Amino acid sequence: MNSSKVIPVSEIGRARRVPAIAQARVPAIGHLEDRLGRPLTDLRISVTDRCNFRCSYCMPKEVFDKDYKYLPHSALLSFEEITRLARLFTAHGVRKIRLTGGEPLLRKNIEVLIGQLAQLRTVDGVPLDLTLTTNGSLLSRKAAALKAAGLQRVTVSLDGLDDTVFRRMNDVDFPVADVLMGIDAAHAAGLGPIKVNMVVKRGTNEQEILPMARHFRNTGVVLRFIEYMDVGATNGWRMDEVMPSAEVIALIAKEHPLRPLEPSAPGETAQRWAYADGAGEIGVISSVTQAFCHDCSRARLSTEGQLYTCLFASHGDDLRPLLRGDADDAQLLSAIGHIWQGRADRYSELRALRAPDLAADTGAARRVEMSYIGG
């Protein structure tokens, strides 16, 4: 793997500033649509660029080693700054906020931020859908406090039940039993419905698909299988390591018949399937083989205040100077509105138009890392 292609976080931070003149060209508040007619309904907030796992598809150890330079604490948005921006995003129609990382539970006093966000309301006065994605390593000790602070549910990343496979994939020798304990703790705390995400990488963990399906049937946990994606520039992505979701569904259906379900919400990333015998449901996220750019309604806020309009983006728009300067809420609202109204991202759809055996496009080195803006 060529680590010389990695963009240091310090370089990623040099994002575009939002031109003041452009901020005045859009409505200061209200419903927004981008250039492809997609609304803004979901905001994913990265609260840290650090993680205690070194999964090869996200933070490979040979790149994110002891010498890797993470963001200094002074660069991170404070909880008050995050909450202010989140409040302004709700004025533009955001209804769901997901806290991500890195590993968000590494952010000290994360419960304080959750408590602040839990007080926010949508434009029609209802509480936000407030959730968090975690690797589960700290969940058993934090689940009750997260629920008490106002978190509604969690999504846990888990790439297999076989301990050897799991330890190899997280690359820090972390035992799968501890993640399962975290899921049990989340269930006991009422953080549900719990979702479990499994990234399927052909040649690495596809043998864990059926054991995972068997384990989570009849538990109320929604298991979702994610195609291995070409996010960032460090994971050495190859198309031949992608196991299409259609194969995953066919494999499970041979043992447990499935029937398709309707999406639970517009713009939902997962295709839903129910077990025919009523044992629950699973989902597949197929951003490689069945791109869903056409109704993507998600924006991503980095831990230092840069707004990304696509998971595969090569740059963000820097809101921090406005946030820490003298900009009032109206100016920030207008800046956010301008960014979203100018959005035309559809990376996954464009990727599908290229040769199917192409490992990645030539711009891969410029794409932001998933550990920086969350999955």
Tab-separated table of all heavy atoms in Angstrom, residues 45-54 58-59 99-108 110 132-139 142 146 155-157 370-372 374:
chain	number	residue	atom	x	y	z
A	45	ILE	N	-22.415	13.853	12.315
A	45	ILE	CA	-21.436	14.707	12.980
A	45	ILE	C	-20.305	13.850	13.522
A	45	ILE	O	-20.523	12.999	14.388
A	45	ILE	CB	-22.081	15.503	14.132
A	45	ILE	CG1	-23.241	16.354	13.618
A	45	ILE	CG2	-21.034	16.381	14.816
A	45	ILE	CD1	-24.024	17.051	14.736
A	46	SER	N	-19.095	14.077	13.021
A	46	SER	CA	-17.919	13.390	13.554
A	46	SER	C	-17.422	14.172	14.764
A	46	SER	O	-17.157	15.362	14.674
A	46	SER	CB	-16.824	13.303	12.492
A	46	SER	OG	-15.650	12.738	13.041
A	47	VAL	N	-17.278	13.495	15.894
A	47	VAL	CA	-16.854	14.177	17.117
A	47	VAL	C	-15.383	13.919	17.448
A	47	VAL	O	-14.835	14.538	18.352
A	47	VAL	CB	-17.740	13.780	18.319
A	47	VAL	CG1	-19.168	14.252	18.092
A	47	VAL	CG2	-17.691	12.282	18.580
A	48	THR	N	-14.736	13.023	16.709
A	48	THR	CA	-13.309	12.767	16.894
A	48	THR	C	-12.756	12.093	15.647
A	48	THR	O	-13.482	11.375	14.947
A	48	THR	CB	-13.031	11.881	18.121
A	48	THR	OG1	-11.618	11.661	18.250
A	48	THR	CG2	-13.732	10.534	18.010
A	49	ASP	N	-11.480	12.318	15.367
A	49	ASP	CA	-10.825	11.636	14.247
A	49	ASP	C	-10.021	10.438	14.736
A	49	ASP	O	-9.289	9.826	13.967
A	49	ASP	CB	-9.929	12.607	13.466
A	49	ASP	CG	-8.820	13.203	14.326
A	49	ASP	OD1	-9.026	13.346	15.551
A	49	ASP	OD2	-7.752	13.535	13.781
A	50	ARG	N	-10.167	10.092	15.997
A	50	ARG	CA	-9.397	8.990	16.592
A	50	ARG	C	-10.264	7.746	16.735
A	50	ARG	O	-11.480	7.842	16.911
A	50	ARG	CB	-8.849	9.396	17.967
A	50	ARG	CG	-7.896	10.575	17.901
A	50	ARG	CD	-7.572	11.117	19.279
A	50	ARG	NE	-6.785	12.339	19.191
A	50	ARG	CZ	-5.457	12.390	19.276
A	50	ARG	NH1	-4.767	11.274	19.479
A	50	ARG	NH2	-4.828	13.537	19.173
A	51	CYS	N	-9.606	6.593	16.698
A	51	CYS	CA	-10.294	5.328	16.915
A	51	CYS	C	-9.318	4.363	17.576
A	51	CYS	O	-8.105	4.442	17.352
A	51	CYS	CB	-10.805	4.742	15.596
A	51	CYS	SG	-11.806	3.241	15.817
A	52	ASN	N	-9.852	3.453	18.380
A	52	ASN	CA	-9.007	2.453	19.031
A	52	ASN	C	-8.925	1.149	18.257
A	52	ASN	O	-8.275	0.207	18.698
A	52	ASN	CB	-9.492	2.185	20.465
A	52	ASN	CG	-10.968	1.823	20.526
A	52	ASN	OD1	-11.704	1.994	19.555
A	52	ASN	ND2	-11.408	1.334	21.668
A	53	PHE	N	-9.582	1.069	17.090
A	53	PHE	CA	-9.444	-0.062	16.181
A	53	PHE	C	-8.601	0.381	14.989
A	53	PHE	O	-8.455	1.572	14.719
A	53	PHE	CB	-10.799	-0.535	15.679
A	53	PHE	CG	-11.587	-1.374	16.664
A	53	PHE	CD1	-11.199	-1.493	17.993
A	53	PHE	CD2	-12.733	-2.030	16.254
A	53	PHE	CE1	-11.929	-2.261	18.894
A	53	PHE	CE2	-13.473	-2.794	17.143
A	53	PHE	CZ	-13.069	-2.916	18.466
A	54	ARG	N	-8.075	-0.597	14.264
A	54	ARG	CA	-7.304	-0.319	13.051
A	54	ARG	C	-7.809	-1.204	11.905
A	54	ARG	O	-7.055	-1.950	11.278
A	54	ARG	CB	-5.811	-0.546	13.299
A	54	ARG	CG	-5.161	0.526	14.157
A	54	ARG	CD	-5.180	1.866	13.471
A	54	ARG	NE	-4.640	2.951	14.302
A	54	ARG	CZ	-5.394	3.718	15.089
A	54	ARG	NH1	-6.703	3.517	15.159
A	54	ARG	NH2	-4.854	4.684	15.800
A	58	CYS	N	-10.686	1.004	6.886
A	58	CYS	CA	-10.928	2.358	7.377
A	58	CYS	C	-9.658	3.041	7.870
A	58	CYS	O	-9.293	4.110	7.389
A	58	CYS	CB	-11.973	2.303	8.493
A	58	CYS	SG	-12.435	3.921	9.163
A	59	MET	N	-8.973	2.432	8.851
A	59	MET	CA	-7.773	3.038	9.425
A	59	MET	C	-6.643	2.008	9.486
A	59	MET	O	-6.257	1.565	10.571
A	59	MET	CB	-8.063	3.590	10.828
A	59	MET	CG	-9.040	4.729	10.860
A	59	MET	SD	-9.278	5.410	12.534
A	59	MET	CE	-7.723	6.282	12.789
A	99	LEU	N	-24.155	10.705	15.470
A	99	LEU	CA	-22.801	10.993	15.936
A	99	LEU	C	-21.876	9.872	15.507
A	99	LEU	O	-22.183	8.687	15.679
A	99	LEU	CB	-22.778	11.145	17.455
A	99	LEU	CG	-23.646	12.278	18.025
A	99	LEU	CD1	-23.520	12.327	19.541
A	99	LEU	CD2	-23.271	13.616	17.415
A	100	THR	N	-20.735	10.263	14.928
A	100	THR	CA	-19.786	9.288	14.414
A	100	THR	C	-18.374	9.692	14.833
A	100	THR	O	-18.172	10.593	15.625
A	100	THR	CB	-19.867	9.189	12.875
A	100	THR	OG1	-19.344	10.388	12.286
A	100	THR	CG2	-21.289	8.977	12.402
A	101	GLY	N	-17.393	9.036	14.253
A	101	GLY	CA	-15.989	9.324	14.506
A	101	GLY	C	-15.233	9.134	13.214
A	101	GLY	O	-15.772	9.411	12.139
A	102	GLY	N	-14.064	8.532	13.333
A	102	GLY	CA	-13.488	7.776	14.432
A	102	GLY	C	-14.470	6.993	15.271
A	102	GLY	O	-15.537	6.615	14.844
A	103	GLU	N	-14.049	6.793	16.517
A	103	GLU	CA	-14.910	6.139	17.497
A	103	GLU	C	-15.457	7.213	18.419
A	103	GLU	O	-14.737	7.761	19.253
A	103	GLU	CB	-14.130	5.083	18.276
A	103	GLU	CG	-14.839	4.523	19.477
A	103	GLU	CD	-16.274	4.098	19.188
A	103	GLU	OE1	-16.511	3.382	18.193
A	103	GLU	OE2	-17.168	4.509	19.952
A	104	PRO	N	-16.749	7.551	18.286
A	104	PRO	CA	-17.290	8.697	19.019
A	104	PRO	C	-17.236	8.542	20.540
A	104	PRO	O	-17.179	9.549	21.256
A	104	PRO	CB	-18.739	8.796	18.520
A	104	PRO	CG	-19.043	7.451	17.950
A	104	PRO	CD	-17.757	6.942	17.392
A	105	LEU	N	-17.236	7.317	21.049
A	105	LEU	CA	-17.210	7.144	22.497
A	105	LEU	C	-15.844	7.441	23.097
A	105	LEU	O	-15.688	7.474	24.323
A	105	LEU	CB	-17.670	5.736	22.882
A	105	LEU	CG	-19.116	5.399	22.490
A	105	LEU	CD1	-19.517	4.044	23.059
A	105	LEU	CD2	-20.093	6.482	22.932
A	106	LEU	N	-14.857	7.716	22.244
A	106	LEU	CA	-13.562	8.177	22.732
A	106	LEU	C	-13.581	9.661	23.071
A	106	LEU	O	-12.679	10.141	23.772
A	106	LEU	CB	-12.464	7.906	21.698
A	106	LEU	CG	-12.078	6.450	21.451
A	106	LEU	CD1	-11.020	6.366	20.353
A	106	LEU	CD2	-11.566	5.783	22.728
A	107	ARG	N	-14.569	10.391	22.596
A	107	ARG	CA	-14.661	11.823	22.903
A	107	ARG	C	-15.099	11.984	24.353
A	107	ARG	O	-16.167	11.516	24.761
A	107	ARG	CB	-15.637	12.531	21.957
A	107	ARG	CG	-15.783	14.044	22.174
A	107	ARG	CD	-14.589	14.813	21.663
A	107	ARG	NE	-14.710	16.241	21.974
A	107	ARG	CZ	-15.092	17.185	21.089
A	107	ARG	NH1	-15.387	16.844	19.843
A	107	ARG	NH2	-15.145	18.439	21.443
A	108	LYS	N	-14.275	12.641	25.126
A	108	LYS	CA	-14.525	12.799	26.553
A	108	LYS	C	-15.845	13.532	26.803
A	108	LYS	O	-16.152	14.519	26.145
A	108	LYS	CB	-13.369	13.573	27.204
A	108	LYS	CG	-13.441	13.652	28.711
A	108	LYS	CD	-12.214	14.371	29.265
A	108	LYS	CE	-12.257	14.456	30.785
A	108	LYS	NZ	-11.066	15.174	31.329
A	110	ILE	N	-18.892	12.706	26.101
A	110	ILE	CA	-19.813	12.708	24.964
A	110	ILE	C	-21.264	12.797	25.434
A	110	ILE	O	-22.130	13.320	24.725
A	110	ILE	CB	-19.584	11.450	24.097
A	110	ILE	CG1	-20.424	11.489	22.815
A	110	ILE	CG2	-19.902	10.173	24.883
A	110	ILE	CD1	-19.973	12.509	21.830
A	132	LEU	N	-26.180	7.087	17.233
A	132	LEU	CA	-24.722	7.070	17.298
A	132	LEU	C	-24.216	5.760	16.733
A	132	LEU	O	-24.803	4.698	16.966
A	132	LEU	CB	-24.277	7.254	18.753
A	132	LEU	CG	-22.788	7.212	19.122
A	132	LEU	CD1	-22.525	8.155	20.315
A	132	LEU	CD2	-22.347	5.795	19.511
A	133	THR	N	-23.114	5.830	15.990
A	133	THR	CA	-22.461	4.634	15.467
A	133	THR	C	-21.170	4.384	16.247
A	133	THR	O	-20.379	5.303	16.456
A	133	THR	CB	-22.131	4.796	13.972
A	133	THR	OG1	-23.352	4.884	13.230
A	133	THR	CG2	-21.344	3.606	13.456
A	134	THR	N	-20.957	3.151	16.667
A	134	THR	CA	-19.807	2.824	17.502
A	134	THR	C	-19.251	1.452	17.136
A	134	THR	O	-19.969	0.607	16.598
A	134	THR	CB	-20.215	2.823	18.994
A	134	THR	OG1	-19.130	2.367	19.792
A	134	THR	CG2	-21.416	1.921	19.248
A	135	ASN	N	-17.968	1.240	17.457
A	135	ASN	CA	-17.410	-0.095	17.269
A	135	ASN	C	-17.743	-1.013	18.439
A	135	ASN	O	-17.389	-2.196	18.430
A	135	ASN	CB	-15.891	-0.048	17.028
A	135	ASN	CG	-15.112	0.549	18.190
A	135	ASN	OD1	-15.512	0.504	19.350
A	135	ASN	ND2	-13.947	1.132	17.879
A	136	GLY	N	-18.402	-0.484	19.445
A	136	GLY	CA	-18.895	-1.291	20.547
A	136	GLY	C	-17.903	-1.569	21.653
A	136	GLY	O	-18.255	-2.148	22.679
A	137	SER	N	-16.662	-1.130	21.495
A	137	SER	CA	-15.624	-1.479	22.462
A	137	SER	C	-15.858	-0.862	23.835
A	137	SER	O	-15.444	-1.415	24.851
A	137	SER	CB	-14.250	-1.067	21.933
A	137	SER	OG	-14.181	0.330	21.714
A	138	LEU	N	-16.504	0.287	23.885
A	138	LEU	CA	-16.761	0.988	25.147
A	138	LEU	C	-18.236	0.992	25.521
A	138	LEU	O	-18.628	1.620	26.498
A	138	LEU	CB	-16.252	2.435	25.054
A	138	LEU	CG	-14.770	2.606	24.746
A	138	LEU	CD1	-14.441	4.068	24.497
A	138	LEU	CD2	-13.913	2.068	25.881
A	139	LEU	N	-19.035	0.290	24.756
A	139	LEU	CA	-20.480	0.403	24.892
A	139	LEU	C	-21.005	-0.210	26.183
A	139	LEU	O	-21.960	0.308	26.777
A	139	LEU	CB	-21.159	-0.235	23.679
A	139	LEU	CG	-22.642	0.023	23.480
A	139	LEU	CD1	-22.964	1.511	23.482
A	139	LEU	CD2	-23.116	-0.618	22.173
A	142	LYS	N	-20.818	2.368	28.849
A	142	LYS	CA	-21.395	3.690	28.598
A	142	LYS	C	-22.864	3.668	28.201
A	142	LYS	O	-23.508	4.722	28.148
A	142	LYS	CB	-20.603	4.396	27.488
A	142	LYS	CG	-19.262	4.965	27.952
A	142	LYS	CD	-18.608	5.766	26.845
A	142	LYS	CE	-17.428	6.572	27.362
A	142	LYS	NZ	-17.855	7.781	28.092
A	146	LEU	N	-25.471	6.919	28.130
A	146	LEU	CA	-25.875	7.460	26.834
A	146	LEU	C	-27.389	7.576	26.751
A	146	LEU	O	-27.936	8.579	26.282
A	146	LEU	CB	-25.353	6.572	25.706
A	146	LEU	CG	-23.833	6.488	25.542
A	146	LEU	CD1	-23.471	5.415	24.518
A	146	LEU	CD2	-23.237	7.825	25.133
A	155	THR	N	-25.978	2.149	16.499
A	155	THR	CA	-25.580	1.209	15.460
A	155	THR	C	-24.175	0.734	15.815
A	155	THR	O	-23.295	1.545	16.078
A	155	THR	CB	-25.573	1.875	14.072
A	155	THR	OG1	-26.906	2.270	13.738
A	155	THR	CG2	-25.055	0.917	13.014
A	156	VAL	N	-23.982	-0.572	15.825
A	156	VAL	CA	-22.702	-1.158	16.212
A	156	VAL	C	-22.051	-1.805	14.986
A	156	VAL	O	-22.691	-2.567	14.268
A	156	VAL	CB	-22.881	-2.215	17.324
A	156	VAL	CG1	-21.531	-2.805	17.721
A	156	VAL	CG2	-23.564	-1.593	18.539
A	157	SER	N	-20.795	-1.469	14.753
A	157	SER	CA	-20.034	-2.092	13.666
A	157	SER	C	-19.450	-3.403	14.169
A	157	SER	O	-18.749	-3.435	15.179
A	157	SER	CB	-18.908	-1.162	13.204
A	157	SER	OG	-19.427	0.066	12.740
A	370	MET	N	-12.611	8.040	5.726
A	370	MET	CA	-13.855	7.764	6.457
A	370	MET	C	-13.692	8.020	7.946
A	370	MET	O	-14.634	8.442	8.628
A	370	MET	CB	-14.306	6.335	6.209
A	370	MET	CG	-15.645	5.984	6.841
A	370	MET	SD	-16.400	4.505	6.164
A	370	MET	CE	-15.149	3.269	6.526
A	371	SER	N	-12.500	7.783	8.472
A	371	SER	CA	-12.281	8.000	9.901
A	371	SER	C	-12.369	9.468	10.277
A	371	SER	O	-12.515	9.803	11.457
A	371	SER	CB	-10.906	7.465	10.307
A	371	SER	OG	-9.867	8.113	9.569
A	372	TYR	N	-12.301	10.346	9.293
A	372	TYR	CA	-12.348	11.792	9.535
A	372	TYR	C	-13.772	12.338	9.529
A	372	TYR	O	-14.085	13.271	10.260
A	372	TYR	CB	-11.513	12.487	8.464
A	372	TYR	CG	-11.470	13.990	8.522
A	372	TYR	CD1	-10.823	14.656	9.564
A	372	TYR	CD2	-12.072	14.761	7.542
A	372	TYR	CE1	-10.788	16.043	9.620
A	372	TYR	CE2	-12.035	16.135	7.585
A	372	TYR	CZ	-11.397	16.773	8.612
A	372	TYR	OH	-11.358	18.147	8.666
A	374	GLY	N	-16.659	10.021	9.350
A	374	GLY	CA	-17.627	9.000	9.689
A	374	GLY	C	-18.178	8.293	8.470
A	374	GLY	O	-18.091	8.781	7.342
